[in-house]
Amino acid sequence: MGPNAARKLRAPRCLTVATALLTLVALKAYIEWTAEQDERFPTPRWMSWQSSFITAAQPSTNALPPFVLQNFNASLQQLRQSVPRAKAYWNDKQHQIFRALDQGLDGNISWSKCSGPGTEEKVSKIQDFSLYPELYKNFVLYDGCRDFPLLIHQPSKCSRGTNRTFLLLAIKSRPGNFAARQSVRDTWGREGAPGGLAVRTVFLLGTGSGRYGPRLQHLVEYESQSFGDILMWDFEDTFFNLTLKDYLFLSWTLEHCQEVRYILKGDDDVFINTPKVLDYLGSLEAHKPLYTGQVMANASPFRVRKSKYYVPESYYVGPYPAYAGGGGYIFSGPLARWLHQVSRHIAFYPIDDVYTGLCFQALGIPPEAHPGFQTFDIAEKDREDPCVHSKLLLVHRRSPEQTLRLWKQITNPDLKC
């Protein structure tokens, strides 16, 4: 703990005013959200599965969210203490944002202008920049770009039907993954309202798949017309742009799905036991903020250049915060507003689930480990066992064929385990 740890933390005037206003807006929305009761309807006949969900605990209108203004400011300061001061590019950039906040400036000034490859200042700060992989170079050069047009839209996704969206499945996909998306639609991602709980699904896509990748936008547009579940933004859909995809999804959620109760973020190659997820969420206190999955604790950057998760020492130094693995995790819908707000004060990081962990750390909400999330798969002997899968919430990874077969097996009423 630093020498200033004992001092009383004071937020800069501008941040305090801004977050106070956001607190009032969020609190108003929260109370309105909790004051209404969910409508209950029988499970539609066309649904091939049913949840054993009985009645979700209703949130109390007298319970205030624990992430109120004082906790928000204190948690942001705690994040500041946890980020090592170093010459590494990301560390230096983040501390520049903190200093801007100290001076009463808006913390998002570092990306107020979207700069491109001609930004020599960025390159000069990284001595070995020329040795970076091409995708890493592009991420650094464009890490201030956060505003991209939404090419394929679903503005009424969360307002369809008579039931408010209880669970929104936000599935990260890529344009060419047609078979994966269809297997999700045919199984655990099927929309409906089992037990009166509305489940909605959106797939999150960029446009291209690299400089020489095929442009599949027209095919995806046709797919969207058929199923109405595609969100596509005009940016290159690469691994390092998953953080950008998360940010843009939060922006969409705040505009078009504000009243969603829970959000499950996952990849299009996971297998989700949706009835089990609904049972679990229905057992929770609805007013308690949730961030759960398979928790990565005491993790550090990979320094092996061949690794998908490679992070150069000149880019970032220090440990990672505890975070839920990006293959699949769940968080409370009302937290989307706060995640979006705090992300304006945290520089983009190329590993999306680590970045989400940073944002939750800034909100003072630690991840909760749940054994039902297996984002690194399970034992080889259990990979085809429907009884094992019937007890899990989420497992990574499964092919479209495996997903279809496992879903048919676990939803079979004659399955004996």
Side-chain angles (χ1 to χ4, degrees), residues 76-373:
L76 193 60
Q77 292 294 341
Q78 289 173 6
L79 174 64
R80 178 177 187 162
Q81 296 291 331
S82 69
V83 175
R85 292 181 178 274
K87 293 183 179 180
Y89 174 80
W90 189 92
N91 301 65
D92 181 63
K93 182 181 181 70
Q94 186 58 49
H95 279 284
Q96 285 183 32
I97 296 172
F98 289 140
R99 287 192 293 271
L101 292 173
D102 287 342
Q103 297 168 12
L105 302 175
D106 190 355
N108 67 359
I109 57 172
S110 60
W111 44 79
S112 58
K113 295 182 179 179
C114 179
S115 54
T119 311
E120 297 180 0
E121 182 181 359
K122 285 186 177 183
V123 176
S124 65
K125 291 181 178 180
I126 305 175
Q127 293 183 351
D128 59 342
F129 183 79
S130 62
L131 301 178
Y132 277 25
E134 182 178 1
L135 287 178
Y136 236 110
K137 290 179 179 179
N138 289 336
F139 180 84
V140 172
L141 292 172
Y142 293 98
D143 63 359
C145 302
R146 296 191 173 203
D147 186 15
F148 290 84
L150 185 58
L151 302 178
I152 300 179
H153 195 8
Q154 308 298 333
S156 61
K157 167 60 69 172
C158 289
S159 60
R160 296 174 185 171
T162 55
N163 287 14
R164 174 180 301 159
T165 301
F166 179 81
L167 175 63
L168 178 63
L169 301 171
I171 308 304
K172 295 172 287 184
S173 188
R174 299 180 71 177
N177 294 5
F178 296 105
R181 289 193 291 276
Q182 193 56 45
S183 71
V184 170
R185 294 186 187 103
D186 290 340
T187 58
W188 53 261
R190 180 177 300 173
E191 295 188 338
L197 301 178
V199 178
R200 301 284 180 260
T201 301
V202 288
F203 295 97
L204 315 178
L205 283 70
T207 50
S209 299
R211 180 183 301 179
Y212 303 108
R215 304 287 289 186
L216 303 175
Q217 183 178 342
H218 293 302
L219 291 176
V220 176
E221 286 176 350
Y222 179 79
E223 181 184 4
S224 177
Q225 292 171 9
S226 300
F227 300 103
D229 55 11
I230 301 289
L231 296 176
M232 173 182 270
W233 290 270
D234 190 14
F235 66 85
E236 189 175 336
D237 203 331
T238 65
F239 175 69
F240 289 153
N241 275 343
L242 290 177
T243 299
L244 172 63
K245 186 179 289 187
D246 282 352
Y247 178 84
L248 293 171
F249 165 72
L250 287 174
S251 300
W252 177 87
T253 302
L254 293 183
E255 186 173 357
H256 300 287
C257 204
Q258 295 180 16
E259 297 182 342
V260 60
R261 186 75 63 85
Y262 295 104
I263 296 172
L264 191 157
K265 291 290 297 299
D267 295 338
D268 62 7
D269 60 350
V270 300
F271 181 85
I272 297 175
N273 188 339
T274 318
K276 193 83 171 177
V277 169
L278 292 176
D279 289 341
Y280 164 65
L281 294 177
S283 69
L284 302 177
E285 298 178 41
H287 67 274
K288 180 183 178 182
L290 179 69
Y291 171 40
T292 187
Q294 184 172 8
V295 175
M296 313 298 151
N298 304 315
S300 298
F302 281 78
R303 302 303 188 189
V304 179
R305 187 180 175 87
K306 293 183 179 180
S307 170
K308 177 181 180 180
Y309 304 99
Y310 166 65
V311 177
E313 290 189 58
S314 60
Y315 182 83
Y316 174 84
V317 295
Y320 285 154
Y323 64 94
Y329 58 88
I330 299 175
F331 64 94
S332 304
L335 290 178
R337 181 178 303 278
W338 291 87
L339 287 170
H340 187 266
Q341 166 64 12
V342 78
S343 68
R344 293 169 58 84
H345 309 295
I346 301 177
F348 272 1
Y349 194 78
I351 313 297
D352 61 314
D353 45 8
V354 172
Y355 184 77
T356 298
L358 287 165
C359 291
F360 272 104
Q361 183 182 22
L363 293 179
I365 301 175
E368 298 179 23
H370 192 297
F373 288 82

Side-chain angles (χ1 to χ4, degrees), residues 340-415:
H340 187 266
Q341 166 64 12
V342 78
S343 68
R344 293 169 58 84
H345 309 295
I346 301 177
F348 272 1
Y349 194 78
I351 313 297
D352 61 314
D353 45 8
V354 172
Y355 184 77
T356 298
L358 287 165
C359 291
F360 272 104
Q361 183 182 22
L363 293 179
I365 301 175
E368 298 179 23
H370 192 297
F373 288 82
Q374 297 294 326
T375 56
F376 291 101
D377 211 338
I378 53 180
E380 182 67 28
K381 64 181 179 62
D382 297 328
R383 295 190 81 249
E384 302 292 336
D385 189 335
C387 288
V388 172
H389 287 77
S390 69
K391 296 177 176 63
L392 297 175
L393 271 66
L394 179 149
V395 63
H396 196 203
R397 312 176 172 198
R398 294 295 177 268
S399 69
E401 294 77 15
Q402 288 174 315
T403 294
L404 290 164
R405 181 169 59 253
L406 284 168
W407 183 257
K408 183 177 180 179
Q409 291 171 329
I410 71 167
T411 56
N412 184 348
D414 295 328
L415 177 65

